[in-house]
Amino acid sequence: MTNLPPPAEELRLLDAELLQLDLRRAVLLRRREWLIHTLRAAAAPPSDQGAGTTPVSGRPDTGVSGAVRRPEATAPGVQNVLLVLGGVLLAVAAIAFTLVSWGHMGIAGRALVLGALTVAALGVPVVLLRRGLRSTAEAVAALGTILTVLDAYALHEVAFAGTDGLGYTAAGSAVLAAVWAVYGVVAGAAVPPPAPAAERGPAAGGARAGLRHPVPLAVATAHLPLLLWALAVGAGPHTVTAVLLLTAAGGTAVALRAAPAPVRVVAVVGALGMGVVGVLSAGWLCWSASDAGAAARAAALLVVAAVVALVAGRSVRDPGAGMGAALAAGLCLVAGAGGVLRASLPGEWTVPGCVVCALPLLAADRTRLSRPLRRGLVRASAAVQCFAVLWSVPLVAGTVLGPVTQVARPWSGAPGNVRDAVFTDVPWPPYASTGPLVLAAVAAVVLVAGRNTARSATAGVVALVLGWAAVTTVPVVLQLPYPIALVGQGVVVVAVLGLAEWSGRAGNRPSPLTLTALLLALVTSADLAFLALASESATIGVLVCLTVLFGAACRGRVAAPFAAPAALGHATALACAIGASAGWRPHDTALLVLVVPAVAALVASRTSGSRATVPVEVAGAAAGLLALALAVTDPPMLAVVLSLCGVLTAGTALRPERRAAGYAAAALFLLATWVRLTAWEVTTPEAYTLPVTGPALIVGLLRRRRDTAVSSWTAYGAGLALTLVPSLLAAWDDRHWLRPLLLGVAALAVTLAGARYRLQAPLVVGGGVLALVTLHELAPYLVQVVGALPRWAPPALAGLVLLALGATYEQRLRDARRLREALGRLR
């Protein structure tokens, strides 16, 4: 069976379909007229196609292809241009006559001339319409409407010169609007009805061909009399606002009842303009009122505007327009109620009052109103709630970001209450004491409204964030004692983690609610850690609790990838806090911080392959970098820290999937060796590096014999760099010739060995060291040569080199590509 819609809905659908058919018919008729005109122009004789284009020979002017030139302007276009130009010239002449030559004639002559011109200009279009000359009739009628304005001006100058200009303009605009409306209707009625369908052409329409502009012009002018009258009598702002809304209501009524499209467009534009100005004026009067009575009077105007908008939204056929009208109506109602509350209650309760006033609009979704009206009222309520949430953003942002300022003054002493610790350098937002109440109310509304809907997941996430913000700001608003605030924040962390674990049990992958809860837990824990910096004991206690809490949360399947790095991060901060509390220097604290990378490496080895492995390794690497940064001021301790980091990295490289970490371990060991030699101020590093380099190279050689797939970098890279790099650094400041000579010979031998056995690591390391030694030894002579050359010689030499490179650019690229491929083929 077919489900038929209600009669009202079916009628709306039928009207929309008929409107679409009318629009399509109009488009097809215009297309048919253009095709007929094109066919007629093509069938016309050559002598009629483009006057003035025939040359002296008497033949039509043709192009290269021999085709006859088409006229550049169509006949209707030429006709319209001529009519508009003639009407403009006549209007200018009439204005000049009225303003300049008016004083040269007597009263009878003036009245006779203007009367005769006006009657003629208004009467001739009727005759022209009966003969089918519609464009000409429009031009003459436009002249007639201009003459009526001039008649009104002349009447004021002759008979009402002493009256108020604004009041006379109001009366004149009303009279002119009525005259133009009557004239448009009468002129259209004077045209004979269309012929029967069998007698008229297929392109002919079935409606009377009346004048187009008088009625829309009358509707546009009708918006002015009441406003001008109110201004003329010196009405107050409430009266002027009421006049604006009344005019908008009249324009709305005309737009809903008028059939011609131009009249509807003019009425809609006028109604929107007057309505917007009136609503803004009423809102300003309501929210700036000093007492409840004045606010109530302005609120009544907003209620009138809301009623007009609802009536318009119910009557329009477009669903989008209906929804927009209902949205505007709902906002007007809430603005009026909020303005009255603002004048009656303290300022802190204004926004909560607006939220309460917006809640009844949600009940419109369960009424029998049309769907666009219901959606518009619901969206108005949602808009008010969004505004309330935005109003509370400064409070939430200050509460979350304010504790960060404690980093500049750690352990300065516990404050009396939590607001002194949070809003020390951040100003307290005005009227923010009811912010948590607003956030909680909006969260409850979102949760209830989104229940059992397609957007229930999104509603749950939004409600969770708003509820978290409300709970987080409560201690600051209530100015709770500092210890109680710390405990409250800790409870929030526990609650959010528990919610994340509970919501994550439903599926294999974390849901948006779970991820949001975990993110809020991390943010709250970081905020709690910063807040605890005001007191030494609070800092250590809070960091211990957070480390244990997130460590326990790692046992959960869903929370582990987030809780594990959080636990390591808080443990790192705890190590730094313990070192600072014990009075240790930063480089001594670095050893304590290294406990965190060690634990991270152990945990990563136990959880290899899980989703928490990579986050744990990243957190451990970050803690290791922090330890290196703390020890950088003391080279001996830095060497120890580098060695320990190398040990941890080497232990990580024992895992099959982390073999690449062996390169980092070798680099750390080399850095530790070089730093240790630098700390000992060794001038002969070869005495310490050569005994290690020999065994390292032997071990590499044996490994390559057992496994030919091992690269030369793995076998020989660390051993070669262990001696060559420290020797290069020592030779760079050595003024004697022996070390550079021996280092150059050794680098040359390594390079030749790499070339002989086609090994990449000896070739690159030895060649690089040899090039740097050579550059170091030749640098003084190069400086002397450059100083002896004229100043223009280096730029000229550089230019020649660039020219040579440019001339052989392709060959150089090919050679560089071959060199790269040759190095790539080495082992």
Side-chain angles (χ1 to χ4, degrees):
M1 296 179 63
T2 303
N3 294 324
L4 296 177
E9 185 69 16
E10 185 177 2
L11 179 60
R12 185 186 66 81
L13 294 175
L14 291 177
D15 291 339
E17 292 293 336
L18 291 174
L19 179 61
Q20 295 295 329
L21 290 175
D22 292 340
L23 294 176
R24 181 60 180 168
R25 184 175 183 274
V27 172
L28 294 176
L29 289 176
R30 287 196 295 270
R31 179 66 179 176
R32 184 179 184 279
E33 291 178 359
W34 181 83
L35 292 174
I36 292 175
H37 174 73
T38 303
L39 293 175
R40 289 176 179 176
S47 58
D48 296 336
Q49 296 183 4
T53 61
T54 304
V56 179
S57 62
R59 292 178 299 178
D61 187 11
T62 60
V64 178
S65 61
V68 180
R69 288 185 179 177
R70 300 293 182 187
E72 296 181 357
T74 61
V78 174
Q79 168 188 311
N80 293 333
V81 169
L82 294 177
L83 291 176
V84 171
L85 182 60
V88 170
L89 293 177
L90 288 176
V92 172
I95 294 173
F97 168 76
T98 304
L99 298 179
V100 179
S101 301
W102 182 255
H104 299 289
M105 302 179 64
I107 297 177
R110 302 170 191 171
L112 181 61
V113 171
L114 275 181
L117 290 176
T118 304
V119 171
L122 296 178
V124 169
V126 178
V127 179
L128 296 175
L129 286 175
R130 291 179 177 178
R131 297 187 177 183
L133 302 176
R134 184 172 181 176
S135 299
T136 307
E138 288 284 352
V140 178
L143 176 62
T145 54
I146 295 175
L147 288 176
T148 55
V149 178
L150 296 178
D151 288 338
Y153 169 75
L155 183 62
H156 177 269
E157 294 296 324
V158 173
F160 301 99
T163 60
D164 180 45
L166 199 58
Y168 181 80
T169 304
S173 59
V175 173
L176 288 176
V179 170
W180 291 338
V182 172
Y183 175 69
V185 174
V186 172
V191 180
E199 299 179 6
R200 63 177 185 265
R208 293 178 183 268
L211 296 175
R212 295 179 179 176
H213 79 278
V215 178
L217 184 60
V219 173
T221 308
H223 289 81
L224 300 177
L226 285 178
L227 179 60
L228 295 176
W229 170 80
L231 296 176
V233 299
H238 288 80
T239 304
V240 173
T241 303
V243 166
L244 288 171
L245 295 177
L246 182 60
T247 304
T252 303
V254 173
L256 295 176
R257 297 295 180 182
V263 177
R264 290 199 306 270
V265 172
V266 172
V268 168
V269 173
L272 287 178
M274 291 291 183
V276 169
V277 176
V279 168
L280 292 178
S281 176
W284 179 79
L285 291 174
C286 185
W287 283 79
S288 62
S290 58
D291 56 352
R297 290 196 299 271
L301 296 176
L302 289 174
V303 172
V304 172
V307 172
V308 173
L310 284 176
V311 172
R314 184 179 180 182
S315 303
V316 296
R317 300 176 180 177
D318 185 10
M323 185 178 64
L327 173 64
L331 293 177
C332 290
L333 292 175
V334 176
V340 175
L341 292 176
R342 187 204 65 83
S344 305
L345 300 176
E348 291 82 1
W349 294 97
T350 301
V351 176
C354 291
V355 173
V356 173
C357 294
L359 293 181
L361 297 179
L362 296 175
D365 201 20
R366 301 184 180 275
T367 61
R368 301 182 63 181
L369 295 174
S370 61
R371 179 179 175 84
L373 293 184
R374 296 199 305 268
R375 294 180 61 186
L377 292 176
V378 171
R379 292 192 177 188
S381 178
V384 175
Q385 296 175 42
C386 290
F387 170 77
V389 172
L390 291 177
W391 169 78
S392 62
V393 165
L395 174 63
V396 178
T399 303
V400 174
L401 301 178
V404 180
T405 59
Q406 294 293 332
V407 177
R409 47 181 183 278
W411 298 351
S412 58
N417 58 73
V418 67
R419 183 184 294 185
D420 295 337
V422 173
F423 284 91
T424 303
D425 299 327
V426 181
W428 176 254
Y431 306 119
S433 59
T434 55
L437 180 62
V438 171
L439 292 170
V442 176
V445 171
V446 171
L447 190 61
V448 173
R451 184 180 56 184
N452 299 327
T453 62
R455 299 182 178 179
S456 58
T458 304
V461 171
V462 174
L464 175 61
V465 174
L466 293 176
W468 169 82
V471 174
T472 303
T473 54
V474 165
V476 180
V477 171
L478 298 181
Q479 299 185 14
L480 296 180
Y482 181 71
I484 296 179
L486 293 179
V487 174
Q489 291 287 82
V491 172
V492 172
V493 177
V494 174
V496 179
L497 279 177
L499 177 62
E501 185 62 29
W502 172 79
S503 62
R505 294 177 181 176
N508 295 327
R509 303 188 63 180
S511 63
L513 182 63
T514 304
L515 295 177
T516 305
L518 291 173
L519 179 61
L520 293 178
L522 295 178
V523 172
T524 309
S525 65
D527 188 63
L528 177 58
F530 283 119
L531 186 61
L533 285 176
S535 172
E536 179 180 352
S537 59
T539 300
I540 297 177
V542 165
L543 290 176
V544 168
C545 294
L546 290 177
T547 303
V548 174
L549 176 62
F550 281 98
C554 293
R555 302 184 64 180
R557 178 176 54 85
V558 177
F562 300 88
L568 294 175
H570 290 304
T572 304
L574 177 62
C576 295
I578 292 176
S581 178
W584 294 353
R585 291 174 295 180
H587 56 268
D588 296 328
T589 307
L591 293 177
L592 186 60
V593 173
L594 280 180
V595 176
V596 177
V599 174
L602 180 61
V603 172
S605 63
R606 298 290 299 274
T607 61
S608 180
S610 66
R611 291 186 298 178
T613 303
V614 174
V616 167
E617 292 175 343
V618 172
L625 291 177
L626 177 60
L628 292 176
L630 292 174
V632 74
T633 57
D634 188 70
M637 185 60 69
L638 178 60
V640 174
V641 172
L642 285 170
S643 300
L644 294 176
C645 290
V647 171
L648 296 176
T649 308
T652 303
L654 296 177
R655 293 156 49 194
E657 70 275 8
R658 293 291 185 264
R659 295 299 187 191
Y663 297 102
L668 289 172
F669 285 132
L670 287 177
L671 287 175
T673 303
W674 298 339
V675 171
R676 172 55 63 184
L677 293 177
T678 304
W680 285 342
E681 298 181 356
V682 174
T683 58
T684 310
E686 294 82 4
Y688 299 90
T689 58
L690 284 176
V692 181
T693 297
L697 294 178
I698 294 173
V699 171
L701 179 61
L702 295 176
R703 185 178 179 185
R704 277 185 60 85
R705 286 184 177 180
R706 288 186 301 173
D707 187 3
T708 57
V710 176
S711 67
S712 60
W713 288 103
T714 304
Y716 308 119
L720 293 175
L722 182 62
T723 296
L724 293 179
V725 175
S727 298
L728 178 63
L729 295 177
W732 204 260
D733 293 331
D734 193 350
R735 300 187 180 184
H736 300 283
W737 57 272
L738 182 58
R739 174 179 279 126
L741 178 61
L742 296 177
L743 180 60
V745 172
L748 178 60
V750 171
T751 304
L752 294 177
R756 171 66 180 81
Y757 296 102
R758 301 175 61 84
L759 298 176
Q760 190 179 85
L763 184 62
V764 173
V765 175
V769 173
L770 180 60
L772 291 176
V773 170
T774 304
L775 178 62
H776 176 265
E777 293 302 314
L778 295 179
Y781 303 101
L782 293 176
V783 171
Q784 294 178 2
V785 170
V786 172
L789 290 176
R791 294 187 176 182
W792 54 266
L797 180 61
L800 292 176
V801 172
L802 291 177
L803 287 177
L805 290 177
T808 59
Y809 182 73
E810 184 177 1
Q811 183 63 33
R812 299 286 81 76
L813 287 179
R814 187 181 297 111
D815 295 341
R817 191 179 301 111
R818 291 175 179 174
L819 177 60
R820 185 184 63 185
E821 293 175 355
L823 287 175
R825 287 192 297 269
L826 299 180
R827 292 171 293 176

